[in-house]
Amino acid sequence: MDLSLITSLFRSEAHLPVYGERVAEVVAALRAAGLTVELVLVANGASAEERRAIESLAASVRQAGASVTMQYVARETVYASWNRGIHASTGGCLGFWNVDDLRYAPALVEGVARLREGCQLIDFPFVQITQGKALGLLPVTQTRTFPASYNPARVTPRAGVGPFFLFTRALFEQAGPFDEHFRVTGDFDWAMRDAVRTAHTCTGTELGGTFFMHGGNLSGTRNPYEWIEHNTVLLRHGEWTQIRPVDSDLMRASWQGWGSQGIALPADVEARLWGADAERFRWQWQRDHHRALISRTIRTVPRAIIDRTGLRPLLARWGLVQPTDQ
């Protein structure tokens, strides 16, 4: 098997029809390119309705030419499902497909080729579509194209892998499974391991896919665990200056319960996160963050008004704005 794609499912009924169509189209394109494809679906706590939808999806994907494996499990973290899916798969090249996102066949073809040539991990540029409201009132849909983000030379959330990375089975076996304690940022933790950072990594030229930020995502939606987990990875690597203030009780419980891996923190770092300095650290960070947020909002609202009124093409001809809001 050339390529195995793993999808973790939880309450996915609304997304499955479109997702199935997308997968079938991509599988057909990959088959036309001479690649064998496997889809592994790990369904968490699936209802009877969701099971029926999954069975229908599997039939259509098989008809398109892919092998499909389904596993029904009790609810678990997405990284536990990723590990489970990888262990159930047979492909030499591995990747993940979120049920509400798009993956593009040209990037998958490029990825498999580059991995066969010696890359162990390849990250791709991608499109992100974000739906929200400026100032909490004005509906805004923003489309942005991001370059491939993975930078093994730096340990920071902005240097982690993007949503459409691919990697070899050999690298997974060397780096080990994803840490199943993580709920949101286990891919960041895995990508920052020494075995991955010292691997032969590559950057794809094709767009990997479209990531939809709509409020139901695990990351980027003010999930209270996101920065607890980011902090955990940063603390594991001694990156004290990048940590953010979070719920001090949750941070301490997570770090002492499973995150530390036996690492002892400096006393001043503990004080900043859950000790005597925690409140002052939180106040200073929030002050700086709010200033940056106000500045960003001032830039966002005029863009939203220009786009909603259809003035962008006219203003672009006058050289006042860019033709597209990037």
Side-chain angles (χ1 to χ4, degrees):
M1 189 66 62
D2 295 317
L3 175 65
S4 294
L5 296 170
I6 293 93
T7 297
S8 174
L9 301 171
F10 176 65
R11 296 179 180 174
S12 60
E13 296 94 331
H15 299 290
L16 285 174
V18 174
Y19 166 79
E21 293 175 1
R22 293 169 176 169
V23 173
E25 291 172 0
V26 168
V27 165
L30 295 178
R31 294 287 292 174
L35 298 178
T36 55
V37 191
E38 176 181 51
L39 182 68
V40 181
L41 303 171
V42 183
N44 286 240
S47 65
E49 178 184 356
E50 189 174 13
R51 283 177 179 253
R52 287 191 293 269
I54 291 170
E55 297 290 340
S56 175
L57 180 155
S60 66
V61 173
R62 289 190 180 108
Q63 188 173 7
S67 171
V68 183
T69 299
M70 295 168 291
Q71 294 196 347
Y72 296 99
V73 300
R75 190 177 180 184
E76 60 189 6
T77 67
V78 64
Y79 303 106
S81 289
W82 281 11
N83 288 335
R84 189 186 299 276
I86 290 171
H87 290 310
S89 68
T90 60
C93 303
L94 303 168
F96 307 106
W97 190 331
N98 295 331
V99 70
D100 51 349
D101 292 337
L102 285 169
R103 288 206 76 135
Y104 300 150
L108 293 170
V109 173
E110 179 189 7
V112 172
R114 298 288 297 279
L115 294 176
R116 285 175 171 174
E117 291 169 357
C119 286
Q120 295 171 279
L121 181 150
I122 181 168
D123 198 18
F124 292 94
F126 66 97
V127 175
Q128 177 174 299
I129 296 178
T130 304
Q131 296 176 324
K133 292 185 178 180
L135 298 178
L137 299 172
L138 188 64
V140 175
T141 298
Q142 185 180 45
T143 300
R144 299 179 64 188
T145 299
F146 290 93
S149 58
Y150 188 52
N151 180 359
R154 302 177 61 212
V155 179
T156 174
R158 292 188 177 184
V161 289
F164 303 105
F165 72 105
L166 298 174
F167 55 101
T168 64
R169 183 174 297 277
L171 179 60
F172 177 77
E173 292 172 351
Q174 184 179 359
F178 292 84
D179 187 334
E180 298 180 3
H181 292 97
F182 284 88
R183 307 184 188 189
V184 186
T185 68
D187 49 341
F188 173 48
D189 169 71
W190 189 84
M192 292 296 113
R193 294 180 188 175
D194 289 344
V196 183
R197 294 175 66 203
T198 58
H200 181 191
T201 61
C202 302
T203 298
T205 59
E206 297 283 354
L207 280 175
T210 297
F211 177 78
F212 293 91
M213 183 73 74
H214 48 64
N217 314 81
L218 287 173
S219 61
T221 53
R222 298 183 180 180
N223 187 312
Y225 284 95
E226 182 171 10
W227 264 95
I228 288 174
E229 295 184 3
H230 279 324
N231 283 347
T232 297
V233 179
L234 296 170
L235 293 172
R236 287 176 176 179
H237 290 272
E239 297 287 341
W240 321 129
T241 62
Q242 296 190 60
I243 58 177
R244 291 189 184 184
V246 291
D247 184 292
S248 57
D249 291 335
L250 284 177
M251 185 71 248
R252 176 163 53 184
S254 296
W255 179 254
Q256 294 179 349
W258 59 267
S260 70
Q261 297 183 333
I263 298 170
L265 298 179
D268 64 314
V269 175
E270 289 191 351
R272 201 187 317 169
L273 285 172
W274 57 73
D277 293 336
E279 189 58 33
R280 179 170 60 86
F281 177 46
R282 181 189 295 270
W283 180 84
Q284 289 177 339
W285 186 89
Q286 288 180 341
R287 179 195 60 187
D288 295 341
H289 180 69
H290 287 161
R291 287 176 177 173
L293 183 61
I294 290 171
S295 176
R296 187 162 60 247
T297 300
I298 290 172
R299 296 193 305 270
T300 300
V301 171
R303 291 174 184 170
I305 293 173
I306 289 169
D307 288 333
R308 286 183 65 83
T309 57
L311 290 173
R312 182 170 294 278
L314 176 61
L315 296 177
R317 286 199 296 271
W318 292 346
L320 298 176
V321 299
Q322 296 295 322
T324 58
D325 183 15
Q326 295 292 330

